[in-house]
Amino acid sequence: MADGLDRLWTPHRMTYISGEDRPEGGYERPSGCPFCLAPARPAEESLVVARGGHVFVVLNLYPYNPGHLLVCPYRHVADYTDLDGPETAELASFTQTAMRVVRKVSSAHGFNLGMNQGGVAGAGIAAHLHQHVVPRWGGDANFMPVIGRTKVLPQLLGDTRDLLARAWPA
């Protein structure tokens, strides 16, 4: 029976939901970890926005909102307490820079920042620590994600990566 609603299809999400893009053996080993593999790939393919000495910033492949970034240490560690001093400092600094860059290019009204530590806490890739930087705008939690269970993103991920990378300070 028709309900009078139009549907916006987001089939790319099914890969994430079904887990069909998980490497054989999971993410526990660096050889199967997308955060370990990303820095060696071209930026356009990996969606890496910026690189530091200890951490890098990558656009989330399955974003909650446009410009959803992840700040990741190069080292394959699972827990925040496993970071050393320089890694912790650079992760914090890059999180601040990510917020400044996203504000500059898209006028975000606010942010959700966080780390899900462990699978039971919601980490999709629990074996490799990553800090979420999720931009927020007034009204971004409208009927689409709440009722339609669909997130509408106004820009292709590659275009978003290019915009953020160009605005990242040298």
Side-chain angles (χ1 to χ4, degrees):
M1 175 186 289
D3 58 11
L5 295 176
D6 290 328
R7 302 286 189 259
L8 294 177
W9 300 102
T10 56
H12 66 280
R13 294 282 300 164
M14 189 51 69
T15 301
Y16 176 73
I17 292 166
S18 69
E20 69 186 60
D21 63 344
R22 288 180 194 255
E24 190 173 320
Y27 300 123
E28 286 69 33
R29 295 188 317 269
S31 62
C33 175
F35 299 138
C36 289
L37 299 173
R41 293 187 171 139
E44 296 76 24
E45 178 186 325
S46 68
L47 301 176
V48 170
V49 171
R51 300 166 193 271
H54 303 285
V55 303
F56 65 97
V57 178
V58 63
L59 198 61
N60 191 331
L61 187 57
Y62 304 106
Y64 298 140
N65 271 345
H68 178 170
L69 296 170
L70 304 172
V71 183
C72 308
Y74 290 109
R75 202 162 53 94
H76 188 83
V77 297
D79 198 84
Y80 186 67
T81 61
D82 294 334
L83 294 178
D84 63 24
E87 289 169 326
T88 303
E90 192 170 74
L91 187 131
S93 174
F94 268 56
T95 298
Q96 290 176 326
T97 301
M99 292 172 65
R100 289 182 187 108
V101 168
V102 172
R103 277 192 186 115
K104 179 180 178 181
V105 302
S106 64
S107 302
H109 298 150
F111 292 87
N112 290 117
L113 303 175
M115 295 179 205
N116 301 327
Q117 295 283 265
V120 298
I125 301 176
H128 196 129
L129 177 76
H130 51 284
Q131 166 84 23
H132 291 262
V133 179
V134 182
R136 301 299 306 270
W137 294 268
D140 66 9
N142 59 26
F143 75 95
M144 290 301 293
V146 175
I147 296 171
R149 300 187 69 188
T150 300
K151 178 60 84 171
V152 179
L153 300 174
Q155 191 173 50
L156 295 173
L157 291 176
D159 294 343
T160 302
R161 191 221 72 85
D162 293 345
L163 181 68
L164 294 168
R166 281 193 306 270
W168 199 272

